[in-house]
């Protein structure tokens, strides 16, 4: 999203292969003939890639992103929802659903064709996919645990701190050198998040720690992608194709230690319809993100992300009655200003 928003802006479509140049051959008596080498045509039975206009896909992506978060909160909430407080189980189910769905899409559509351009050796899988998948798993679990005790609006405000965490980790590993602009961005976002936390009416320490840890995991994952998968282009669906099985196995191993058999006994509270529609909306978000990649500039996508966050916070207030203090609105506005500067300048 909101985890899903960062991955979209970092993805870059693969460059097209260069065209064959005209060839000039010397035959006899100095005569020349010009031979044109035409580009090979795609087989007529090959499915064409679908493109969706920005005016359509941006609202779809925003709706999916907002729906996933509010739907998860509804499932977890004990007062206004279904009282199913088992985030590890629900996250595992999402990942299993996504792992199966990406493989179905790989055989029936062109959405996962990017996987064909990746040479995924066993060594690369162990050194790159496995550790990044472990961080991704930790980020998902901890973020969902935060929803058990914190409001959606407060969590969304805290997520604005992700760029700061990325910059701090990049500074620590000397991937990026600090400068005045970056330090100003760090100060803006940090100040805004601090004001948002200070003004939270229903502050809960455990949930706050879980969300901070989730931010640390997510920032570390994004930095490791830059280090370990440098130059490798993965859109959200291809990433899910590789990471979903890894994360699903890791989460499944953790279920007995964190939640035991209780989620299975409580499945009647949610039912099959909710489980499948919830996982379906989460997967649809990743599909929408693929189409979102090529429809607009970084500025358009950033502004769409900011509008989505504002709508999400507003929706959470309406759906769950989450109170927001004036100081939080002021602090979050400062954070959004720093976030827009960070995204539009490319973190330079």
């Amino acid at each position: 999203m909101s985890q899903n928003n960062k991955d979209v802006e970092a993805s870059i479509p693969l460059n097209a292969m260069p065209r064959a140049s005209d060839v000039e051959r010397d035959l006899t008596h100095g005569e020349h003939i010009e031979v044109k080498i035409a580009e090979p045509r795609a087989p007529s039975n090959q499915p064409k890639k679908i493109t969706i206009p920005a005016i359509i896909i941006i609202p779809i992506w925003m709706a999916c992103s907002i729906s996933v978060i509010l739907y998860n909160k509804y499932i977890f909430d004990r007062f206004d929802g279904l009282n199913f407080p088992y985030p590890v189980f629900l996250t595992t189910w999402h990942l299993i659903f996504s792992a199966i769905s990406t493989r179905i899409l790989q055989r029936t559509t062109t959405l996962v064709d990017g996987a064909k351009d990746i040479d995924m050796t066993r060594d690369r899988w162990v050194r790159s996919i496995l550790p990044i998948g472990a961080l991704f798993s930790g980020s998902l679990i901890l973020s969902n645990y935060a929803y058990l005790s914190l409001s959606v609006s407060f969590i969304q405000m805290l997520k604005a701190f992700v760029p700061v965490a990325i910059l701090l980790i990049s500074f620590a590993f000397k991937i990026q050198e600090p400068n005045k602009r970056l330090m100003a961005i760090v100060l803006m976002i940090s100040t805004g998040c601090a004001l948002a936390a200070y003004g939270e009416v229903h502050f809960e320490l455990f949930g706050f720690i879980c969300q901070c840890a989730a931010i640390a995991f997510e920032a570390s994952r994004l930095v490791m992608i830059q280090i370990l998968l440098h130059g490798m282009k993965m859109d959200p669906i291809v990433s899910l194709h590789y990471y979903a099985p890894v994360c699903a196995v890791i989460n499944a191993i953790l279920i007995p230690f964190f939640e035991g058999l209780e989620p299975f006994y409580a499945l009647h509270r949610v039912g099959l319809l909710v489980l499948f529609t919830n996982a379906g909306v989460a997967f649809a978000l990743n599909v929408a993100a693929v189409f979102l990649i090529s429809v607009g500039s970084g500025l358009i996508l950033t502004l769409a992300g900011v509008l989505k966050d504002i709508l999400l916070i507003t929706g959470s207030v309406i759906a769950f009655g989450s109170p927001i203090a004036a100081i939080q609105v002021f602090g979050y506005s400062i954070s959004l200003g720093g976030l827009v500067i960070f995204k539009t300048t490319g973190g330079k």
Side-chain angles (χ1 to χ4, degrees), residues 87 96 118 129 220 224 240 290 303 313 315 324:
I96 292 173
I118 298 174
I129 301 300
S220 300
M224 284 193 70
L240 205 61
V290 174
L303 294 177
I313 292 174
I324 297 180

Side-chain angles (χ1 to χ4, degrees), residues 48-197:
K48 296 181 179 180
K49 290 190 176 182
I50 303 172
T51 56
I52 302 177
I55 195 172
I56 296 176
I57 191 58
I58 289 178
I60 291 176
W61 170 77
M62 291 170 63
C64 288
S65 182
I66 293 171
S67 298
V68 167
I69 295 174
L70 294 181
Y71 204 167
N72 286 353
K73 179 63 175 178
Y74 171 71
I75 292 174
F76 294 145
D77 198 277
R78 67 174 62 185
F79 301 109
D80 301 312
L82 299 178
N83 189 22
F84 189 79
Y86 306 109
V88 181
F89 176 88
L90 190 66
T91 304
T92 305
W93 163 240
H94 282 187
L95 293 165
I96 292 173
F97 185 94
S98 297
I100 295 172
S101 298
T102 53
R103 278 144 185 84
I104 293 174
L105 290 181
Q106 188 179 32
R107 289 166 173 77
T108 58
T109 70
T110 60
L111 289 174
V112 200
D113 281 1
K116 298 177 182 178
D117 301 314
I118 298 174
D119 182 21
M120 188 55 65
T121 62
R122 181 178 179 180
D123 181 68
R124 174 173 285 173
W125 188 91
V126 172
R127 292 177 178 270
S128 303
I129 301 300
L130 185 58
I132 294 174
L135 289 172
F136 188 30
S137 180
S139 173
L140 291 173
I141 291 174
L142 289 166
S143 181
N144 280 330
Y145 259 109
Y147 283 107
L148 296 180
S149 54
L150 298 180
S151 66
V152 172
S153 55
F154 184 40
I155 290 175
Q156 205 62 31
M157 292 177 187
L158 292 178
K159 284 183 178 179
F161 194 76
V162 171
V164 173
I166 294 174
L167 288 175
L168 293 178
I169 295 173
S170 299
F171 294 160
F173 286 92
K174 296 183 179 180
I175 300 173
Q176 198 163 8
E177 294 296 327
N179 56 52
K180 291 182 179 179
R181 174 177 289 181
L182 290 178
M183 297 311 296
I185 291 172
V186 169
L187 181 61
M188 282 184 66
I189 297 178
S190 300
T191 301
C193 289
L195 290 174

Side-chain angles (χ1 to χ4, degrees), residues 10 40 87 103 140 162 204 217 260 262 289 291 298 318 342 345:
R103 278 144 185 84
L140 291 173
V162 171
E204 207 278 336
F217 271 80
E262 292 182 13
F291 292 105
I318 296 173
F342 176 78
T345 58

